[in-house]
Amino acid sequence: MLQDLKNYLFSDTTTNTTTTITPTTNQTISNSSIKRDVGDINDYQNANYFNYYRVLEKKYSNLRNNTGLKTISNNDTFKLIDFTIQSEMNNTCIASVWKQKYSNDSSTPVEGVYSIPLAPYSVVSGFTVEYQDKVFIGRIKSKEKAQNQYSDSIASGGQAFLAEKTQDGQFSFRIGNLPPNENVTINLTIISEVCPHLTSLQNCFHRFLFPNGSFNFQFNLNIKLTLPIKNIELLDYPNRQITFKENTENKEATLSLSSNNGIEQDIVCIVEPENDIEKPQSIIEYSKKNDTYAVSVNFTPSFNHLSSDDVNQKSEFIFLIDCSGSMSGEPIKKAKRALEIIIRSLNENCKFNIYCFGSSFTKAFESSKIYNDETLEHISNYVQNIDANLGGTELLPPVRDILSTTSDFEYPRQLFILTDGEISERDNLINYVATESNNTRIFTYGIGNSVDRELVIGLSKACKGYYEMIKDNSNFEEQVMKLVSIAFEPTLSNISIDWGTELQIEQGPTKIRPLYSGETLVVYALLKDNNIPQSTVQVSLNGNGPTGTKLKFPITLDFSKSIDYENSSVHTLAAFNIIKDLEEIERKGNHSNNRERIEELGKTYGLVTKYTSYIVIATSEQVTEESMKTINIIPPPITATPTLSTIEESELNTMHLSTSNMLLRSCAIDSLCDRSEMLLESSAKFERQKLSKKASPFSFSKISSFFSSPSKSSPVTSSSNSSSRGCIIDSGEIISEEKRNSNSSNNNNNNNNNNNNNNNKNNNSINNNNNSNSDGLLKLIKLQKANGSWSSPFNEFKIDLSKKPSNIDNDDIWITLIIINKILHDYPNQQSQYDLVIQKASKWVKQQLARLNIQNEYDSLLSTSKLYI
């Protein structure tokens, strides 16, 4: 495969030809210039899949205290006794059956409410409840019908169980009218996508899924892959047992873990298959229950063999620059200089655009334009006029303007966001961009010490990009170019699967995200017609390769080797991904008739969707007549922010308000009073601060997640002072007492920003000579043409064209060679800034030499030209 790619790149065939890749082995071609340290497979907390749990950890550090059925007063009405997980893992799916047994010491009937934080790549496909030696199986029904049946059953004194998917993706269920002193066993079947991270397949059961305290725990995992397994690990649990099954070529193994003391750490299973796999893998699942087939395809290509000269791929680059008042001075100057370097680092295979945002936004082009000399000159003039003069920080409007534009899968869209501030609707923005992760990758830069770190990290993680925190100006350009270089790494784009004419399928996802370096593709399909014409069917995975060629990877589907997984995990995730596509179409308002198909898939495969819920109705032998307690376990996080008036209204309307919620609300109200007094006492100071620094709107988002009903917010500007009452509230976050000192330190750091800025100015004055050199470098870079050359006449310094070798027929080749040497000689410490510029220039020279049939003389010509700088 590797040599095929290189041979094709330098052949005379056109880019319209498709290259069929036949996997080979023992071929290694590498180029360190496009390699980077990608990290450690054990560092799961930096994996993209872990971002959901990372956000939970930031918002709810004490979430485990409320996990499981227990009362707010901790009187152990419900106590978890046993917790077992039986899991089965293949290349793409992991199916887990959870069994949780609770004792019930309540002396009165009780309604329990229990939620689990369900990651966006997981789905509940089975739900049963056991008590009084009876098993009640959940049935999927339309959401309205399920809610009505639940309410009717509770009102008549019967027992009922209702499970739903909340708007934020959590799976929650209510257990109503449980008789006193009756133990309850809850069984959940959870199907999850296996999470690729670097060269491994991973699964994480986060500690937030388990309550604090002691209980009996048993975890058993069966692993069945289509590839040999190189290594299996269960992090932080050395007492685990791992056994490879005999006569399976190391493709199957079992893992087990037992504990009598509950779970303290995340349960992270890491399976590392044999690497250097150069072809897609497939699984065919047959469901006896439905007499249907489903297929999953996964692929993790390796592009490490390609050099920078080989890469000839298309891409769209959009740069979104914070031009609010706080960026004035050195930050905006550095940002403009970085932009000048970046736009010269692009090539003629790119589309590009620049947005500037503040209270409003502007853009260089109405839509992205092809990169050429004309558009480069236009956008360079636009950059020169950029200033920090757009007021506040409103990031959502320009992001919506960018993402609402249909992406061109021929040009994978990569968005770079540079900001030094914070916004009021951070979580809503992050949730929004996550819905567009299939067509856009986001890179973010956080500038200075006051930037909202969660905004910077959250935006990049939501779209599987990267982020960089720029604390000072000394390495500004280097840090900016670090992410731009990642964006140029080899990519497989415009991907599709050709299922041929023999198979009628429904695919999910329908649009396949570009496959960037180090990522794994997973696609599912349900077969509509099970009349398979023959046992073996040839299909192919197609896409635009990083060298500019169209690549075709053949896949053989052998239906004689189909597998009947117990929980139909491939069918379930195929339906789950199809439903996500249909719901996304509805979200964008393109169609309104997808409900019927969503309900059909939900009912067939037991999936909770926006239109379906699980419902169990149990007729009690004795009608429950005593008053019932409601125990709210993990109320789903609420994105809307309550105002003070709605908090008071909620207090009047809530009949069973917990002590904990009362304390939280009291803290919130007290804090608001304190802040109001401070604002009244220092309004003049506040007005001055608004002009010089972006305000940080106070949010109740952390508190409102513990309230019973949401409403729209009325922002209140936060103060750096903390309340001394039962809890501390700072920038919308509930902070425990033990975090007080840490946050005080952070506030002191913020108060010392002026000192830090003065230090930066001193550092800048010390580096005046370096800045002078940088200006000389920038002048040279700005003279480069879009194709990578420097052209005649060149007046920046004298170049003796009479020294041009006779075998070169173009003055621009000689000029470009000399300037390459000039930059390398004069600016050795700034290589990270101009590396892509030099790569583009040298690639252009090599193309010209190839035209003259002297491509092998590049090194000698470069050495010769060095004598004349």
Side-chain angles (χ1 to χ4, degrees):
M1 168 185 171
L2 310 183
Q3 195 60 48
D4 287 343
L5 287 175
K6 290 185 70 63
N7 290 342
Y8 186 80
L9 173 68
F10 297 109
S11 69
D12 294 330
T13 54
T14 66
T15 56
N16 292 326
T17 304
T18 299
T19 301
T20 300
I21 303 301
T22 304
T24 57
T25 57
N26 299 323
Q27 294 176 318
T28 57
I29 303 173
S30 63
N31 186 300
S32 59
S33 63
I34 60 172
K35 285 187 175 182
R36 60 184 170 88
D37 181 12
V38 294
D40 183 356
I41 61 172
N42 290 347
D43 186 15
Y44 69 95
Q45 292 180 331
N46 278 323
N48 284 321
Y49 77 83
F50 192 78
N51 188 54
Y52 173 79
Y53 295 113
R54 186 191 65 80
V55 173
L56 282 185
E57 290 176 355
K58 292 289 184 180
K59 286 185 174 181
Y60 310 106
S61 59
N62 296 318
L63 186 61
R64 293 191 69 183
N65 293 335
N66 295 318
T67 297
L69 293 171
K70 79 170 61 168
T71 63
I72 298 298
S73 58
N74 292 321
N75 61 4
D76 294 328
T77 297
F78 292 94
K79 182 179 180 181
L80 181 60
I81 303 173
D82 297 310
F83 197 141
T84 63
I85 299 178
Q86 299 285 343
S87 298
E88 187 172 51
M89 176 182 181
N90 59 41
N91 291 17
T92 60
C93 317
I94 180 165
S96 301
V97 178
W98 294 21
K99 185 173 184 177
Q100 302 171 73
K101 183 178 181 180
Y102 292 91
S103 64
N104 175 10
D105 296 330
S106 175
S107 59
T108 59
V110 64
E111 179 183 31
V113 181
Y114 180 66
S115 297
I116 57 171
L118 196 63
Y121 44 82
S122 301
V123 63
V124 172
S125 67
F127 168 55
T128 65
V129 178
E130 301 176 25
Y131 73 99
Q132 294 180 330
D133 297 324
K134 299 177 182 178
V135 178
F136 303 95
I137 301 175
R139 303 295 182 190
I140 287 287
K141 295 191 176 184
S142 65
K143 180 164 288 189
E144 293 83 358
K145 185 179 293 185
Q147 289 173 337
N148 291 337
Q149 289 185 359
Y150 177 84
S151 299
D152 291 345
S153 177
I154 295 301
S156 63
Q159 284 80 52
F161 314 91
L162 178 68
E164 296 179 310
K165 178 184 177 183
T166 61
Q167 288 185 352
D168 61 0
Q170 287 206 0
F171 180 81
S172 65
F173 58 86
R174 289 178 283 165
I175 307 175
N177 277 351
L178 281 175
N181 301 312
E182 290 288 346
N183 291 349
V184 180
T185 299
I186 297 169
N187 300 283
L188 295 175
T189 300
I190 300 176
I191 312 295
S192 177
E193 292 183 349
V194 170
C195 301
H197 179 48
L198 303 179
T199 59
S200 68
L201 304 176
Q202 302 192 4
N203 182 74
C204 175
F205 292 128
H206 195 275
R207 62 189 182 276
F208 281 4
L209 299 172
F210 309 99
N212 283 321
S214 297
F215 53 87
N216 297 322
F217 179 76
Q218 180 67 42
F219 172 47
N220 298 313
L221 172 64
N222 289 322
I223 304 169
K224 298 179 181 179
L225 303 186
T226 61
L227 307 172
I229 301 169
K230 182 166 63 175
N231 186 51
I232 302 173
E233 189 55 79
L234 193 68
L235 300 182
D236 298 321
Y237 291 95
N239 61 329
R240 82 289 183 276
Q241 300 293 323
I242 298 174
T243 304
F244 281 88
K245 295 184 179 180
E246 296 181 358
N247 303 319
T248 63
E249 300 178 331
N250 275 7
K251 295 179 181 180
E252 297 185 20
T254 61
L255 181 151
S256 62
L257 172 68
S258 300
S259 171
N260 296 323
N261 298 310
I263 294 299
E264 294 297 328
Q265 304 293 332
D266 302 338
I267 300 176
V268 181
C269 178
I270 299 177
V271 179
E272 193 171 5
E274 293 290 347
N275 53 13
D276 296 328
I277 300 300
E278 298 175 358
K279 64 178 182 179
Q281 301 293 306
S282 63
I283 294 176
I284 303 172
E285 179 184 75
Y286 174 69
S287 171
K288 292 181 181 178
K289 177 182 178 181
N290 298 313
D291 189 27
T292 55
Y293 289 93
V295 179
S296 70
V297 174
N298 65 291
F299 184 35
T300 309
S302 174
F303 298 126
N304 289 335
H305 58 282
L306 295 175
S307 71
S308 58
D309 287 341
D310 296 332
V311 176
N312 192 38
Q313 62 198 15
K314 296 178 179 179
S315 188
E316 179 184 13
F317 291 82
I318 300 178
F319 304 94
L320 181 53
I321 310 302
D322 188 342
C323 291
S324 58
S326 62
M327 283 286 291
S328 62
E330 197 66 20
I332 199 67
K333 291 180 182 177
K334 286 287 187 178
K336 291 173 64 175
R337 187 178 187 279
L339 278 175
E340 292 282 11
I341 297 173
I342 289 172
I343 60 177
R344 266 80 187 179
S345 301
L346 307 183
N347 57 59
E348 292 176 308
N349 285 327
C350 298
K351 292 180 179 179
F352 70 140
N353 204 354
I354 295 178
Y355 281 66
C356 293
F357 75 95
S359 299
S360 59
F361 69 88
T362 65
K363 47 188 173 180
F365 303 115
E366 184 59 32
S367 61
S368 294
K369 300 294 184 182
I370 293 292
Y371 186 87
N372 55 40
D373 285 333
E374 181 182 354
T375 55
L376 177 59
E377 181 181 5
H378 176 89
I379 216 163
S380 183
N381 293 332
Y382 178 84
V383 171
Q384 290 180 14
N385 293 320
I386 289 177
D387 202 356
N389 58 359
L390 293 182
T393 308
E394 295 294 336
L395 185 53
L396 179 58
V399 169
R400 183 185 288 117
D401 187 74
I402 293 168
L403 298 187
S404 63
T405 303
T406 302
S407 62
D408 184 349
F409 275 71
E410 288 277 347
Y411 292 84
R413 186 161 59 197
Q414 305 192 80
L415 171 60
F416 294 76
I417 301 175
L418 187 150
T419 183
D420 73 336
E422 54 189 26
I423 62 174
S424 58
E425 297 294 334
R426 177 187 68 198
D427 292 347
N428 288 342
L429 175 61
I430 293 173
N431 291 337
Y432 169 66
V433 302
T435 64
E436 302 294 337
S437 63
N438 240 27
N439 55 51
T440 304
R441 182 163 67 156
I442 293 182
F443 299 83
T444 51
Y445 303 95
I447 302 174
N449 295 317
S450 299
V451 68
D452 184 346
R453 184 177 177 86
E454 277 304 300
L455 174 67
V456 174
I457 298 175
L459 288 174
S460 63
K461 290 289 187 181
C463 288
K464 301 179 183 179
Y466 297 83
Y467 67 92
E468 192 76 14
M469 306 303 296
I470 304 175
K471 294 297 185 182
D472 56 55
N473 295 322
S474 60
N475 295 312
F476 194 103
E477 293 89 345
E478 286 80 358
Q479 290 183 268
V480 168
M481 293 307 298
K482 178 181 177 181
L483 299 193
V484 176
S485 296
I486 293 175
F488 275 97
E489 290 179 353
T491 303
L492 183 66
S493 63
N494 199 25
I495 302 170
S496 64
I497 296 182
D498 182 358
W499 298 98
T501 59
E502 297 178 280
L503 301 178
Q504 299 298 315
I505 61 93
E506 188 174 14
Q507 178 183 305
T510 52
K511 294 182 179 180
I512 303 175
R513 170 185 165 90
L515 194 54
Y516 297 102
S517 180
E519 293 186 355
T520 295
L521 170 150
V522 180
V523 178
Y524 301 90
L526 293 174
L527 271 65
K528 297 180 179 180
D529 184 358
N530 289 324
N531 295 322
I532 306 302
Q534 55 188 16
S535 62
T536 300
V537 178
Q538 294 294 328
V539 302
S540 64
L541 187 151
N542 308 318
N544 297 342
T547 64
T549 64
K550 293 184 181 298
L551 301 181
K552 180 178 180 180
F553 299 89
I555 306 170
T556 300
L557 300 180
D558 189 349
F559 285 86
S560 67
K561 297 180 180 179
S562 61
I563 303 171
D564 181 15
Y565 291 112
E566 181 179 354
N567 293 296
S568 299
S569 56
V570 178
H571 279 79
T572 301
L573 286 182
F576 177 54
N577 279 277
I578 293 168
I579 288 172
K580 285 200 297 185
D581 278 353
L582 295 174
E583 290 181 341
E584 180 63 11
I585 290 173
E586 287 193 348
R587 184 187 69 83
K588 292 185 175 181
N590 297 333
H591 296 278
S592 58
N593 60 348
N594 289 330
R595 174 165 185 161
E596 182 178 349
R597 180 56 177 157
I598 292 173
E599 284 194 9
E600 180 184 3
L601 288 169
K603 292 175 181 178
T604 301
Y605 298 102
L607 301 179
V608 174
T609 71
K610 63 185 292 186
Y611 296 126
T612 56
S613 301
Y614 272 112
I615 181 71
V616 178
I617 302 296
T619 303
S620 177
E621 295 178 359
Q622 180 177 359
V623 175
T624 305
E625 297 178 347
E626 299 176 78
S627 61
M628 182 176 65
K629 295 186 298 183
T630 297
I631 303 177
N632 197 11
I633 307 305
I634 314 175
I638 297 169
T639 55
T641 311
T643 61
L644 182 57
S645 61
T646 55
I647 295 173
E648 293 170 343
E649 181 180 355
S650 176
E651 287 177 337
L652 293 173
N653 294 336
T654 302
M655 298 300 295
H656 305 289
L657 183 63
S658 70
T659 303
S660 177
N661 282 350
M662 291 176 66
L663 287 173
L664 288 172
R665 296 183 185 194
S666 176
C667 291
I669 295 169
D670 289 342
S671 179
L672 279 175
C673 292
D674 291 344
R675 296 174 190 276
S676 299
E677 291 173 2
M678 294 173 62
L679 288 173
L680 289 172
E681 292 171 359
S682 56
S683 60
K685 179 180 178 181
F686 176 67
E687 290 298 326
R688 289 194 302 269
Q689 288 176 342
K690 285 203 299 183
L691 295 175
S692 62
K693 182 179 181 180
K694 288 173 287 196
S696 172
F698 175 72
S699 170
F700 277 115
S701 59
K702 298 294 185 63
I703 302 171
S704 65
S705 64
F706 292 88
F707 293 156
S708 56
S709 60
S711 62
K712 294 182 179 180
S713 66
S714 177
V716 181
T717 304
S718 67
S719 166
S720 60
N721 291 344
S722 301
S723 170
S724 60
R725 294 171 176 85
C727 64
I728 305 167
I729 303 179
D730 182 29
S731 299
E733 180 178 4
I734 302 174
I735 302 173
S736 60
E737 290 288 342
E738 55 267 28
K739 290 187 178 180
R740 185 196 301 257
N741 293 333
S742 174
N743 284 316
S744 297
S745 175
N746 290 337
N747 289 333
N748 290 334
N749 288 337
N750 290 334
N751 291 335
N752 288 328
N753 277 343
N754 290 333
N755 293 333
N756 291 337
N757 290 335
N758 290 334
N759 290 335
N760 289 337
K761 291 179 181 179
N762 293 334
N763 290 335
N764 291 333
S765 65
I766 292 172
N767 293 320
N768 276 338
N769 291 332
N770 187 46
N771 288 338
S772 178
N773 287 338
S774 297
D775 292 338
L777 172 63
L778 185 58
K779 286 181 180 179
L780 287 176
I781 290 176
K782 291 175 69 173
L783 293 171
Q784 188 184 39
K785 297 179 67 176
N787 63 10
S789 68
W790 282 269
S791 62
S792 177
F794 183 81
N795 301 317
E796 187 65 24
F797 59 87
K798 185 177 180 180
I799 295 179
D800 189 352
L801 293 177
S802 66
K803 304 297 183 181
K804 180 184 70 176
S806 59
N807 58 350
I808 294 179
D809 66 350
N810 187 336
D811 290 347
D812 291 356
I813 298 176
W814 185 244
I815 293 171
T816 301
L817 285 167
I818 288 178
I819 295 177
I820 288 174
N821 275 303
K822 175 73 172 176
I823 292 176
L824 293 173
H825 178 271
D826 290 359
Y827 309 102
N829 296 327
Q830 295 161 268
Q831 182 177 349
S832 60
Q833 297 182 37
Y834 59 72
D835 194 41
L836 292 173
V837 172
I838 295 300
Q839 285 181 28
K840 181 170 70 169
S842 63
K843 188 172 183 178
W844 178 84
V845 171
K846 291 175 182 178
Q847 290 171 345
Q848 301 307 306
L849 298 182
R851 176 180 56 82
L852 299 171
N853 293 319
I854 56 173
Q855 58 265 35
N856 294 330
E857 296 186 26
Y858 174 79
D859 290 336
S860 62
L861 289 170
L862 189 64
S863 297
T864 301
S865 63
K866 186 177 181 181
L867 302 174
Y868 302 102
I869 62 173

